[in-house]
Amino acid sequence: MTLSSPRYAEVLIDGRLAGRYSYRVPCDMPVARGDWAVVPWGRQQRVGIVEAISDRVAIDADRVRDLERIVEDLPPMPSDWFALLTFAANYYHANPAELALAGVPKSLRTAPGRRSRVTATQRLAAFDDNARAVSLRDADRGAVGTEAWTAEQRVIIDHLIGIQRAAPGEDPPKPTLIQGITGSGKTAVYLGWVASILAADRRAQVLMLVPEIGLAPALEAQLRERFGDDAIAVLHSDMPEARRASHWLAAATGRARIVIGTRSAALVPMPALAAIVVDEEHDLSFKQQEGVRFSARDLAIGRAALAGIPVALGSATPSLESWHNAARGRYVLLRLTERPSRSRTRDARIANATGPDSAGIDSAGTESAGADGSGSDKAVGDDTGSVHTITAQIELVPLRERAQRHGLAENVIAAVTEALGRGEQSLFYLNRRGYSPVLVCPSCGWLSRCDHCDAYRVLHSTPVAGTAAGRRYRLVCHHCASERRSPRACPECGEQDLAPIGRGTQRLEDGLRELFPSARIARLDRDVANRRGAVAAVLAATHAGEVDILVGTQMLAKGHDFQRLTQVVVADADAGLFASDFRAPERLFATLLQVSGRAGRHRPEHAATWVQTRYPDHPLFDFVRREDYAGFAAAQLRDRAAQRLPPCAHQALVVAQARRPELATGFLEGCRSALVAAADSGGLAAAVTVCDPVPMPLARLRGLSRSQLLIEAGQRPALHRLLDQTRERLAALAAEVGGGLGWSLIIDPLEI
């Protein structure tokens, strides 16, 4: 090709009409794959990423516009990032452009002005004016060997340190699954491993993923205490835009040695990535809920395999997918069955820890059961107080057999009263925010239904400023956020004695104030979290001992370490027992064990978890009471295998929504015909099942009718072959329906 030959750049552009677009490269403009480019877009400009350079273009060359300029101060995307992008796009059958810029801060993917803009150099200076690599010389606290490791922790860290990066052509190292009881020191294991990685290579970077924004500050604080302030980047959507941009650039340039992030951080470019940690790997929040429905956990595993680096997955209650992979030998399973004693000093030497004889590692990928075969053997450590495995005793409280006040059994009230007398804290868990789930008319049966969704508006209570006991009530839909004032009388018959049915966190809080009038009570749910700084204020007050009783939802179930908390009360454990979703028991079991783990982390002698239920004989509660994750997982996997459900089978879901329900169902009927025809012609009919379209459980959402089409296969390759053959046909069917239809293809759906 001569210098005068035309060159064309294929540029990935996100936003509306996201895709790969061709632009002519001016002859005097140096451009390479991975560069950030400013391109014309109608009468505006957009920033995209150059995916390829070619001397040919697929469309009429006269229609191709010129690329305007390269954004020279942004770091080019490296080749391994493109490999990850290709892997993700292929696996999720998605447009690469929708993934390429999904996690990039908005200010970096906005076309810069020609005169004035904050440069990448200035943003990096804001990250740290005196950036330096973390080394073991920076602080003795970062040195390997200064932690009071338990025997299990030490063996696991040695195992992780011993994993070598795969050489070209070699198989990547197996993922490591760390199953540790709550409070067993999984984070300490991560920190010990990270310290070793950073000491061995002064350029190495580590990516640490957490499922929720609320878990990032605690992990960041521990990392800063260990490694200092200058090498850690944090990435999540709740950060100020300027700070998020500077931290993203620090990760992308290799300046940040440790990157903490939520879902989108799985796609951040890191030039010297050496290891990945996925904490609370079972958590549903790792699954993206809009756009391309990727799983950050699965992308992390795929990214590690592509790079040939180790990845560690940690959880007290691993996902059944990960547990199944460990049982099949695809992952290495390591177990932590002990809680380190809080009395041990932080700077004790490894030599003072207990010996390795009882370390719970099964390198064959199967669990090491406890003495009773359940995997939950509760044994006290040696007389030095180095370890203990006693967690909060779990008590089932059968509600039908006990007198109740404000929905709480008398023995629960007595236990909390005793804890208050000892100066200890209690946590009440109820995963329903608001005052009451529904408002009902006892005369005509009117219910507070939402006008836009197949759901009820929830009754919310708000104190009125300036009054001692005045409250304002409103009805709020938790799905579309529409709200209205609570009626004084029934809209149908005029009955004035409307009744709230059920209990939310607000109503529970009011009841607790009556039961414990002298206690200091705080609530933490999404309603509280919407107020800026409220989450940090509530948690800080609780840690400082200024709160006696904490009421909350899922936000409090994991990741928190309250020193004075000894009592956990699950106010209503029955919601997940009879749900239509086959994953509901797994989620309920995980939640109960996770929230139980908040109790007695520092004061185990009086620790207890009280689980209120109307069905105490349900088999799930027997596993919960014994804290027998291994037994529960085995039973669930047997059921899943018998019913051909994940992880013993593989699924994809086509979801459609439209104002008119016939548009959504008609589109899905066309999809089913196309899929069945392709399966028949491709020899996949026996391997893949295409179900009939059905309405979604929440069939109407925000005024749109929603339906779904499930595709199942015993083997993953057969499912992907079918979707590869039909993806363009499905898109064509959607185009025929027109703009009134929205649709998406979800691989490995978590909710059906």
Side-chain angles (χ1 to χ4, degrees), residues 372-444:
D372 62 354
S374 67
S376 60
D377 185 31
K378 292 186 177 183
V380 180
D382 60 21
D383 58 5
T384 66
S386 62
V387 297
H388 64 86
T389 60
I390 297 177
T391 56
Q393 182 176 356
I394 297 177
E395 300 282 353
L396 296 180
V397 182
L399 290 179
R400 289 180 296 180
E401 302 172 9
R402 295 183 182 273
Q404 301 172 47
R405 285 187 287 162
H406 296 289
L408 300 174
E410 290 295 337
N411 58 336
V412 171
I413 296 172
V416 173
T417 301
E418 292 175 7
L420 291 172
R422 295 190 298 265
E424 297 168 354
Q425 297 170 320
S426 299
L427 185 155
F428 283 78
Y429 172 82
L430 179 62
N431 204 31
R432 273 196 305 270
R433 62 189 175 98
Y435 187 85
S436 178
V438 63
L439 190 65
V440 63
C441 173
S443 296
C444 71

Side-chain angles (χ1 to χ4, degrees), residues 520-741:
R520 299 165 295 178
I521 300 175
R523 174 169 53 87
L524 186 56
D525 54 24
R526 192 183 304 174
D527 297 321
V528 174
N530 284 336
R531 301 195 297 268
R532 183 180 294 274
V535 173
V538 170
L539 293 177
T542 306
H543 284 295
E546 298 168 3
V547 172
D548 300 314
I549 297 176
L550 187 59
V551 183
T553 57
Q554 192 76 28
M555 298 176 70
L556 292 173
K558 56 184 176 295
H560 300 289
D561 188 359
F562 302 116
Q563 293 198 10
R564 298 173 178 84
L565 196 148
T566 63
Q567 306 297 306
V568 167
V569 179
V570 180
D572 185 356
D574 297 339
L577 288 180
F578 307 107
S580 58
D581 188 348
F582 68 87
R583 285 189 172 90
E586 179 185 357
R587 294 169 184 165
L588 177 59
F589 181 88
T591 297
L592 293 178
L593 279 199
Q594 292 280 351
V595 74
S596 173
R598 300 314 104 205
R601 296 170 74 92
H602 297 263
R603 300 184 181 187
E605 57 274 11
H606 297 125
T609 295
W610 306 86
V611 180
Q612 297 196 150
T613 174
R614 297 166 188 83
Y615 309 96
D617 296 327
H618 194 285
L620 181 142
F621 290 127
D622 188 46
F623 289 117
V624 170
R625 183 181 54 80
R626 292 187 286 115
E627 301 181 61
D628 183 6
Y629 173 81
F632 172 78
Q636 284 289 301
L637 287 172
R638 285 194 297 269
D639 290 346
R640 301 274 185 95
Q643 300 176 60
R644 295 184 62 208
L645 291 171
C648 305
H650 306 280
Q651 296 178 330
L653 196 67
V654 184
V655 175
Q657 59 183 27
R659 294 283 177 189
R660 292 159 46 201
E662 62 270 19
L663 287 182
T665 55
F667 165 69
L668 291 181
E669 288 287 358
C671 290
R672 185 182 187 282
S673 297
L675 288 163
V676 169
D680 289 340
S681 63
L684 296 171
V688 180
T689 300
V690 183
C691 301
D692 291 327
V694 295
M696 298 185 71
L698 187 63
R700 190 163 171 264
L701 178 66
R702 301 184 184 94
L704 297 175
S705 295
R706 309 192 306 159
S707 295
Q708 60 187 5
L709 171 69
L710 180 64
I711 311 159
E712 299 179 299
Q715 300 296 325
R716 195 186 303 275
L719 178 66
H720 284 281
R721 270 181 56 198
L722 179 62
L723 294 175
D724 283 337
Q725 294 171 11
T726 55
R727 181 71 171 84
E728 292 184 2
R729 177 57 183 154
L730 301 189
L733 288 171
E736 292 173 10
V737 174
L741 175 78

Side-chain angles (χ1 to χ4, degrees), residues 64-234:
V64 178
R65 302 174 71 179
D66 282 356
L67 186 150
E68 294 201 358
R69 64 188 183 279
I70 298 300
V71 185
E72 296 181 353
D73 64 341
L74 291 179
M77 295 299 205
S79 58
D80 63 340
W81 179 84
F82 280 104
L84 173 65
L85 184 67
T86 301
F87 164 78
N90 289 340
Y91 185 82
Y92 292 104
H93 300 269
N95 185 335
E98 293 182 275
L99 287 160
L101 294 157
V104 179
K106 187 176 180 180
S107 60
L108 297 180
R109 50 190 170 92
T110 301
R114 292 181 180 273
R115 294 183 179 178
S116 175
R117 62 180 292 267
V118 178
T119 66
T121 301
Q122 291 169 324
R123 292 189 188 278
L124 281 170
F127 174 76
D128 184 5
D129 289 335
N130 300 299
R132 56 184 171 83
V134 171
S135 73
L136 299 184
R137 294 179 291 111
D138 292 332
D140 183 65
R141 64 191 174 191
V144 178
T146 61
E147 290 288 349
W149 308 121
T150 67
E152 292 178 334
Q153 288 175 324
R154 185 174 65 186
V155 175
I156 292 175
I157 292 172
D158 287 345
H159 167 84
L160 292 172
I161 291 174
I163 299 175
Q164 301 296 317
R165 179 190 290 265
E170 291 183 349
D171 291 336
K174 292 181 180 180
T176 298
L177 176 63
I178 305 172
Q179 191 251 330
I181 64 171
T182 54
S184 59
K186 292 185 291 293
T187 302
V189 168
Y190 304 153
L191 298 188
W193 186 33
V194 169
S196 173
I197 292 170
L198 300 187
D201 182 352
R202 296 180 62 84
R203 292 184 60 253
Q205 295 177 285
V206 178
L207 173 62
M208 305 186 73
L209 295 178
V210 294
E212 298 174 2
I213 293 170
L215 297 180
L219 179 58
E220 180 186 2
Q222 292 180 73
L223 287 164
R224 292 200 185 284
E225 180 183 358
R226 179 72 178 264
F227 300 111
D229 297 332
D230 55 350
I232 301 167
V234 183

Side-chain angles (χ1 to χ4, degrees), residues 2-22:
T2 64
L3 292 178
S4 60
S5 300
R7 292 185 302 152
Y8 301 94
E10 300 295 323
V11 182
L12 299 174
I13 299 174
D14 72 339
R16 189 170 178 270
L17 302 178
R20 182 187 292 108
Y21 292 89
S22 299

